[in-house]
């Protein structure tokens, strides 16, 4: 798109019970609001472009804005306007434009006679009409990031000839997650940990907004069950006994440290 093009925005129907017309005009508050909406739609998320050669026309039944679109915005505006001809979803268009479309749809549902129209006199895209019959909805695309986590739980199954995996019942939630693994990872375990607690290191995908995890993949696993080191504990007991060997009464010794007899 090497040269600017005109895009038309039309508001038609009734406002506060009165038809938009050359005689009745447009209530000032709606006039200012609609102009602002059109500007935001044209600018998109850029939010900086100044609308050039703006023509205003009020004819019987509609308020029309003819806007000469700056070259820098023309391509994205035409692409987005072409997409929203299909009202199934506007999740793929510029968020600022999507917000205006949803706002116009809400207005039309509140004031059923209103129609909001976006059209291209040159035929760059099919005419978009937003009315009470419209069914636009914003579907956010989930963004998943790769993470690593340590999970603790009980292994309730593992193996599988076609798709080896580990079934882990999580300690905190009792939910069961399925963790993809390889034959070598499971074959390499020295003991059968099924129905035993395990600490599992996994890679997964996480939704940053919700914290949800999916697509678990095994990195490492080991038996979980912190065990006391008997030999180490005995060493500590021996050291303690030696340190207290010359104290005849531990209670009296503690009272002395506290500074007096409380009896």
């Amino acid at each position: 798109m090497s040269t600017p093009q005109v895009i038309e925005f039309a508001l038609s129907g009734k406002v506060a019970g009165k038809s938009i017309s050359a005689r009745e005009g447009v209530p000032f508050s709606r006039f200012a609001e609609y102009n602002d909406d059109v500007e935001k739609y044209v600018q998109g998320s850029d939010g900086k472009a100044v609308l050039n050669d703006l023509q205003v026309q009020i004819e019987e039944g509609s308020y029309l804005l003819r806007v000469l679109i700056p070259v820098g915005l023309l391509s994205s505006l035409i692409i987005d306007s072409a997409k929203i001809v299909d009202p199934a979803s506007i999740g793929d268009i510029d968020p600022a434009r999507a917000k205006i479309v949803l706002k116009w749809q809400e207005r039309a549902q509140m004031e059923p006679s209103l129609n909001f129209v976006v059209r291209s006199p040159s035929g760059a895209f099919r005419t978009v009409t937003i009315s009470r019959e419209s069914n636009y909805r914003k579907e956010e695309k989930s963004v998943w990031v790769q993470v690593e986590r340590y999970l603790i739980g009980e292994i309730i199954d593992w193996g599988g000839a076609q798709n080896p995996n580990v079934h882990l019942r999580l300690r905190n939630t009792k939910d069961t997650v399925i963790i993809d693994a390889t034959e070598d990872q499971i074959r390499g375990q020295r003991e059968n940990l099924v129905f035993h607690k395990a600490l599992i290191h996994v890679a997964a995908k996480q939704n940053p907004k919700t914290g949800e995890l999916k697509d678990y993949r095994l990195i490492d696993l080991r038996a979980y069950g912190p065990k006391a080191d008997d030999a180490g504990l005995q060493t500590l007991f021996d050291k303690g006994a030696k340190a207290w060997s010359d104290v005849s009464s531990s209670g009296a010794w503690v009272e002395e440290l506290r500074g007096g007899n409380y009896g």
Side-chain angles (χ1 to χ4, degrees), residues 14-74:
K14 293 182 179 181
V15 176
K18 295 182 179 181
S19 297
I20 298 172
S21 67
R23 182 171 59 85
E24 298 291 346
V26 184
F28 181 77
S29 60
R30 184 57 59 88
F31 167 85
E33 180 185 19
Y34 184 63
N35 289 355
D36 184 59
D37 287 346
V38 168
E39 184 172 25
K40 289 177 180 176
Y41 183 91
V42 172
Q43 291 175 335
S45 296
D46 180 86
K48 298 177 181 178
V50 177
L51 304 190
N52 297 318
D53 297 335
L54 177 63
Q55 297 179 10
V56 176
Q57 181 178 331
I58 298 179
E59 51 191 22
E60 200 62 36
S62 70
Y63 170 55
L64 178 68
L65 294 178
R66 289 191 174 94
V67 184
L68 185 65
I69 308 299
V71 173
L73 294 175
L74 186 59

Side-chain angles (χ1 to χ4, degrees), residues 135-149:
N135 188 29
Y136 293 101
R137 57 188 184 274
K138 183 67 180 293
E139 296 179 352
E140 297 287 348
K141 289 187 174 181
S142 297
V143 178
W144 297 86
V145 296
Q146 196 69 35
V147 297
E148 292 187 12
R149 293 290 184 267

